[in-house]
């Protein structure tokens, strides 16, 4: 029996949603363990596109889906997403979706603070998604959060809200110059959310333990990417949760001994949304071509994604931080048609070659990528389903990635559709 964690190895949007959907054909249970509706995970099935922000991407394959304690949940967004999926014929009843009673709620003031702070920072902004993610995690850590276990008890909810709303209002009014909030409409709205979501709330840790004991196979769906991790990413240009595989355990309530494999999702090139360093970023026509050919627009905010070559310093940082056991390469089709393709193999910094990702942003911002240049391929590879049928130069590119990382590539994605995929090794078979 396998229990597999999926993580993004770069700065998010690697195609995690597509791969989680694909592997959910065999997995029994799919679990989100961190992040919130800053995530936008895209699945394309029979030409129909679905984007999920909170509901795990196993929902289309009718698998049992869990939102773990490590996720921060905006209840209105969750309800809207459940309604959207239902309208499109996807069952999202309480037997198919469960939410941890320990997951924290994104409150209206979290969104207001996120947006107003970014506005105040001007050029120094992080470029957040404006969904209230950071302020919600701040309140969790400072023990001022509200969880589902409080939401479903109206008295507890009201007591908790009133115990810190004065402080929030002081901050909103005097520091952010925004209007303070009246508690009564918040209480009324959240009581309605509670009624709707009550049947979904459960002890996820206990249910996952039961599932594992019953021989079920679990798939943990990471959000964002390793270099947006609050500890290991390009701080402060990061998100507010741990995005690395270790958090699959604390964010869902299972022990590390249960995990049998960790798959790193690697986009065949690199993208980033929002601010922050990106050593292999391309500012020329090639970057523009990748952006257009890859349709690189954010699935959550619609922002243009910055594009650059594949970076082995970034990738090997992810291999180590996540304990990756295999790689999945996505969007390989997008690189077709380039005369040559570059792989960043190290950084040049003050006459030295760095192969470990620097912690200091000052150092990182002065790093110049060192490239190995490989020949490109002109063939359309989107209809290929067997690795050996790929053009020689495409296989050569993949071989270089395997050689640099010392890891096997188990899955190769050659198009957005579920079946536009070469499965070399299915982790659940
Ligand atoms: P996630 O956040 O990691 O789930 O990734 P996103 O869904 O935000 O972004 C990935 C985008 O690439 C989506 O539009 C996918 O439909 C698309 N996509 C995924 N895999 C492939 C692929 O192999 N080729 C192409 N052309 N598009 C892909
Ligand atoms: P998925 O799961 C790409 C980025 C934002 C910003 C930074 C902080 O689809 O890969 P936040 O709102 O989290 O406080 O923003 O993190 N970011 C993402 N970038 N994909 C994502 O998710 C992201 N989630 C957050 O653009 O730079
Ligand atoms: Mg995304």
């Amino acid at each position: 029996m396998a229990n597999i964690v999926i993580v993004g190895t770069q700065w998010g949007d690697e195609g995690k949603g597509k791969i989680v959907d694909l592997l959910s054909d065999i997995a029994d249970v799919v679990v989100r363990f961190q992040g919130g509706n800053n995530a936008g995970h895209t699945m394309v099935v029979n030409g129909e596109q679905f984007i999920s922000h909170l509901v795990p991407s196993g929902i289309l394959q009718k698998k049992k889906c869990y939102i773990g304690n490590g996720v921060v949940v905006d209840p209105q967004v969750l309800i809207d997403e459940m309604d959207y999926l239902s309208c499109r014929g996807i069952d999202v009843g309480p037997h198919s979706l469960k939410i941890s009673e320990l997951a924290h709620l994104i409150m209206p003031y979290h969104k207001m603070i996120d947006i107003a702070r970014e506005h105040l920072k001007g050029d120094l902004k992080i470029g957040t998604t404006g969904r209230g993610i950071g302020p919600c995690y701040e309140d969790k850590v400072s023990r001022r959060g509200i969880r589902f276990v409080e939401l479903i008890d109206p008295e507890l909810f009201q007591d908790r809200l009133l115990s810190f709303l004065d402080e929030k209002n002081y901050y909103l009014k005097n520091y952010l110059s925004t209007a303070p909030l009246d508690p009564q409409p918040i209480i009324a709205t959240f009581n309605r959310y509670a009624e709707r979501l009550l049947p979904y709330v459960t002890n996820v840790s206990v249910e996952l333990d039961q599932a594992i004991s019953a021989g079920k196979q679990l798939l943990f769906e990471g959000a964002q990417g390793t270099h947006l991790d609050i500890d290991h990413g390009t701080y402060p240009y990061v998100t507010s949760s741990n995005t690395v595989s270790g958090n699959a355990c604390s964010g869902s309530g299972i022990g590390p001994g249960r995990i049998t494999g960790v798959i790193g999702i690697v986009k065949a090139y690199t993208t980033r949304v929002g601010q922050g360093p990106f050593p292999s970023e391309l500012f020329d026509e090639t970057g523009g071509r990748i952006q257009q050919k890859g349709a690189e627009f954010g699935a959550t905010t619609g922002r243009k994604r910055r594009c650059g070559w594949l970076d082995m310093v970034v990738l090997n940082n992810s291999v180590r931080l996540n304990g990756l056991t295999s790689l999945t390469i996505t969007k390989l089709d997008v690189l077709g048609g380039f005369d040559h393709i570059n792989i960043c193999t190290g950084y040049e910094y003050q006459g030295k070659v760095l192969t470990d990702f620097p912690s200091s942003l000052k150092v990182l911002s002065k790093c110049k990528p060192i490239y190995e240049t490989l020949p490109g391929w002109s063939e359309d590879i989107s209809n290929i389903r067997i690795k050996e049928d790929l053009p020689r130069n495409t296989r050569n590119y993949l071989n270089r990635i395997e050689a640099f990382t010392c890891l096997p590539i188990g899955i190769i994605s050659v198009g957005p559709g579920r079946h536009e995929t070469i499965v070399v090794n299915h982790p659940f078979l």
Side-chain angles (χ1 to χ4, degrees):
M1 291 293 128
N3 297 312
I4 305 287
V5 182
I6 297 271
V7 288
T9 56
Q10 294 149 320
W11 279 282
D13 302 325
E14 295 89 350
K16 300 174 291 293
K18 164 175 170 164
I19 302 303
V20 169
D21 168 69
L22 175 83
L23 299 182
S24 300
D25 60 342
I26 311 282
D28 302 294
V29 172
V30 183
V31 190
R32 270 282 306 268
F33 55 90
Q34 47 72 229
N37 60 308
N38 46 353
H41 295 180
T42 314
M43 297 148 275
V44 178
V45 184
N46 299 326
E48 263 194 88
Q49 188 190 65
F50 297 82
I51 296 178
S52 83
H53 301 286
L54 278 168
V55 175
S57 302
I59 200 80
L60 300 188
Q61 299 263 28
K62 301 187 169 58
K63 295 306 161 80
K64 184 115 189 189
C65 289
Y66 287 92
I67 295 177
N69 57 278
V71 179
V72 289
V73 180
D74 183 327
Q76 184 62 58
V77 173
L78 179 61
I79 289 168
D80 288 347
E81 194 164 309
M82 288 158 62
D83 290 346
Y84 154 85
L85 287 166
S86 298
C87 276
R88 297 188 65 179
I90 313 297
D91 178 18
V92 265
H95 47 278
S96 47
L97 177 68
K98 289 285 180 195
I99 309 160
S100 168
E101 53 200 3
L102 304 179
H104 281 245
L105 296 166
I106 296 181
M107 302 297 295
Y109 44 82
H110 291 141
K111 278 176 280 188
M112 290 167 69
I113 292 171
D114 193 1
I115 293 164
R117 264 194 203 150
E118 285 279 280
H119 185 68
L120 270 185
K121 279 191 202 143
D123 286 349
L124 295 176
K125 68 179 182 198
I126 305 283
T128 72
T129 58
R131 303 301 195 257
I133 307 295
C136 182
Y137 277 117
E138 278 171 40
D139 276 352
K140 172 177 178 171
V141 174
S142 68
R143 295 162 291 188
R144 286 190 200 84
I146 309 182
R147 303 168 301 171
F148 273 84
V149 70
E150 281 104 29
L151 175 74
I152 59 178
D153 181 330
E155 223 172 285
L156 262 182
F157 178 82
Q158 174 162 333
D159 287 352
R160 267 200 81 70
L161 180 70
L162 295 179
S163 71
F164 37 68
L165 194 63
D166 276 353
E167 188 188 323
K168 292 286 171 212
N169 276 338
Y170 183 85
Y171 183 71
L172 286 171
K173 197 163 150 244
N174 297 300
Y175 188 71
L176 298 175
S177 309
T178 51
L181 290 167
D182 176 358
Q184 288 318 317
I186 301 179
I187 291 167
T189 306
F190 277 71
N191 283 345
R192 280 201 305 279
Y193 295 151
E195 268 174 44
R196 171 85 189 262
L197 295 175
L198 179 66
Y200 294 82
V201 179
T202 194
N203 185 324
V204 169
S205 172
V206 167
E207 290 201 21
L208 294 185
D209 188 56
Q210 287 165 349
I212 294 170
S213 300
K216 307 277 187 213
Q217 307 203 84
L218 275 50
L219 183 55
F220 294 86
E221 176 179 3
Q224 290 80 54
T226 300
H227 293 80
L228 288 171
D229 183 279
I230 184 72
D231 285 288
H232 303 286
T234 47
Y235 191 90
Y237 299 98
V238 291
T239 192
S240 297
S241 64
N242 282 114
T243 59
V244 292
S245 61
N247 198 19
C249 297
S250 31
S252 65
I254 59 139
R258 306 289 211 166
I259 305 293
T260 59
V262 185
I263 301 178
I265 312 294
V266 185
K267 201 179 270 191
Y269 46 95
T270 312
T271 62
R272 175 163 203 169
V273 209
Q275 314 305 114
F278 176 178
S280 67
E281 183 167 12
L282 288 165
F283 300 95
D284 58 4
E285 191 225 337
T286 306
R289 257 178 87 190
I290 295 177
Q291 195 274 329
Q292 280 194 347
K293 195 155 180 230
E296 293 295 352
F297 291 97
T300 296
T301 57
R303 289 176 290 176
K304 238 186 200 183
R305 295 175 182 149
R306 301 154 62 191
C307 296
W309 295 118
L310 185 62
D311 183 338
M312 285 303 150
V313 183
V314 164
L315 188 46
N316 275 329
N317 202 34
S318 281
V319 171
R320 189 189 70 258
L321 289 167
N322 295 293
L324 297 184
T325 52
S326 76
L327 305 178
T328 287
I329 307 295
T330 60
K331 303 195 87 160
L332 192 58
D333 53 305
V334 175
L335 289 186
F338 289 88
D339 289 343
H340 69 268
I341 292 168
N342 283 342
I343 297 182
C344 170
T345 58
Y347 302 147
E348 199 238 289
Y349 174 71
Q350 294 186 340
K352 286 193 268 268
V353 176
L354 307 184
T355 50
D356 286 325
F357 196 73
S359 301
S360 155
L361 288 205
K362 199 170 154 193
V363 173
L364 194 56
S365 66
K366 291 185 183 140
C367 282
K368 298 267 172 294
I370 300 167
Y371 288 120
E372 175 176 312
T373 301
L374 301 178
W377 60 91
S378 55
E379 296 90 334
D380 174 9
I381 60 167
S382 58
N383 290 318
I384 295 178
R385 300 291 174 265
I386 297 167
K387 189 179 172 189
E388 287 65 35
D389 291 346
L390 287 169
R392 193 163 53 93
N393 288 348
T394 320
R395 276 181 287 134
N396 185 33
Y397 186 61
L398 297 175
N399 290 342
R400 288 306 287 143
I401 298 172
E402 290 189 324
F404 274 116
T405 56
C406 299
L407 281 178
I409 296 172
I411 301 171
I412 302 155
S413 175
V414 292
R418 185 188 280 166
H419 298 296
E420 290 177 304
T421 316
I422 299 168
V423 181
V424 182
N425 236 317
H426 196 302
F428 290 111
L429 291 176

